[in-house]
Amino acid sequence: VWQRAYQQMSENLSAVAVKTWISCMQPLELNMQRALFLVPSNFQKEIIVSRYLDTIKNYLADTLGFPVEIEIETEEDRLEAEEAFSAPEAAQPAAPAANLTAQIDREYTFDNFIVGNANKFAHAASVAVANAPAAAYNPLFIYGGSGLGKTHLLYAIANEIKKKYPAFKVVYLRGEVFTNELIESIRNSTVVEFRNKYRFADVLLMDDIQFIGGKESTQEEFFHTFNTLHAEKKQIVLTSDRPPKEIQTLDDRLRTRFEWGLIADIQPPDLETRSAIIIRKAKTLGLDLPADVTDYIAGKLKNNIRQLEGAVKKISAYVALGERITVDLAATAIRDILSDQVPVSVLVERIVEDVARYYNLEPDDLRSKKRTAEVALARQVAMYIIREGTDLSLTDIGDVFGGRNHATVLYAIREVEGHLERDVRMKNMITDVMASLNA
Ligand code: ADP
Ligand code: MG
């Protein structure tokens, strides 16, 4: 069926469109309701969904004689779903860790990590650890905002160690995966296996450790894993979106341990670094960006390297569709990137829900006229987060909460700023809500 529909499309659509976007779709499954496809990257999926979905649907419906929904999975997502990793050369079939499959992306290395003022400390520490595991800093704790290169550095450490110490068992996993696997193993009474899997590691790379904050049994388990590995002089590297002291409800014993070694932060890149990253990314995509376009992107996207890369990838996609590289095109690409993010209305809903849950209130309480101290405080906090996390105006924010005026909103924000100077719990809560928005 797909062959026939594909044939039809090749005859009727532009050759570039078919070749660039549609030919990469691999049909997986077809039934009366839906057609499932696999494509290599999330980016390809995005383009197909945003531009060709209806067309493909129509052609398929013509061929089939009835309409079906189209679903697309990506290899990228599948890879991400399988987290754990161990060096294949080091495989000792008997050891439990050996069944962790290789999932470290080999493309992320120190060679293609661009060093600037904002990340040079974290970079140097990572190199030191990779050169001499457990001899330099243990643990190494890297923290910084989303999209600033923490995972890249962890992968680079893994790849470098694999090269230098092929026998080492390198385990990479995310805090969330550790948590989920633990819960699963408790349910299946396989905690011992779970434990052994990680305690056999020579190098443990734990990404996004902040996820274990507030989860007691996970922290307990990680505490023991940490102690075992550390006592055996195995290297541990942790990343987080914030420093240990700001991870909410982190057990003090763990916090202390995280601070034993070296703590390195990554800040948003400066202009030079941003430009270097854009140029590098363009080069790998075979793209020659004029200087004004590079400057334009570097000037617009300042806080997230993932977005910088995304903009270059978008431009490359447009070029494949025959567009010329201009500042206007870059502006469109950036708009695409930013609009790919969750719509503001959804963000606002999430913020109101999260804050309400935190204060044990109903979201509607916040939107209502109620003025009890607790509702009023929660509402102010929600206003503050919406102001920080979206580009809504004060008036817009007032509208979210039953048409309050902008002076009220401004007052609320000032109030919260005042609280934040004294109230660490509130600060943590707000950081958590903000972080979950970017996730
Ligand atoms: P984080 O884990 O901190 O959210 P990532 O490591 O996933 O961020 O980085 C996001 C993207 O930006 C990745 O594609 C990564 O390769 C790229 N990146 C981040 N920092 C750099 C850098 N210094 N040089 C080159 N690419 C970088
Ligand atoms: Mg990451």
Side-chain angles (χ1 to χ4, degrees), residues 354-366:
D354 284 359
V355 173
R357 190 173 328 115
Y358 187 85
Y359 286 98
N360 271 325
L361 297 167
E362 290 300 320
D364 278 341
D365 293 336
L366 271 56

Side-chain angles (χ1 to χ4, degrees), residues 22 45 60 119 140 149 165 168 197 230 268 275 291 298 313 344 418:
I22 300 179
K45 171 175 170 179
L60 261 183
N119 61 23
L140 170 60
Y165 306 88
F168 272 30
K197 186 156 139 188
H230 198 272
S275 303
K313 279 197 230 166
V344 174

Side-chain angles (χ1 to χ4, degrees), residues 116-158:
N117 276 326
N119 61 23
K120 65 178 182 217
F121 187 48
H123 171 263
S126 301
V127 171
V129 159
N131 284 336
Y137 317 105
N138 204 12
L140 170 60
F141 189 104
I142 301 172
Y143 76 90
S146 173
L148 293 183
K150 302 181 296 294
T151 299
H152 189 136
L153 282 178
L154 277 192
Y155 284 174
I157 292 173

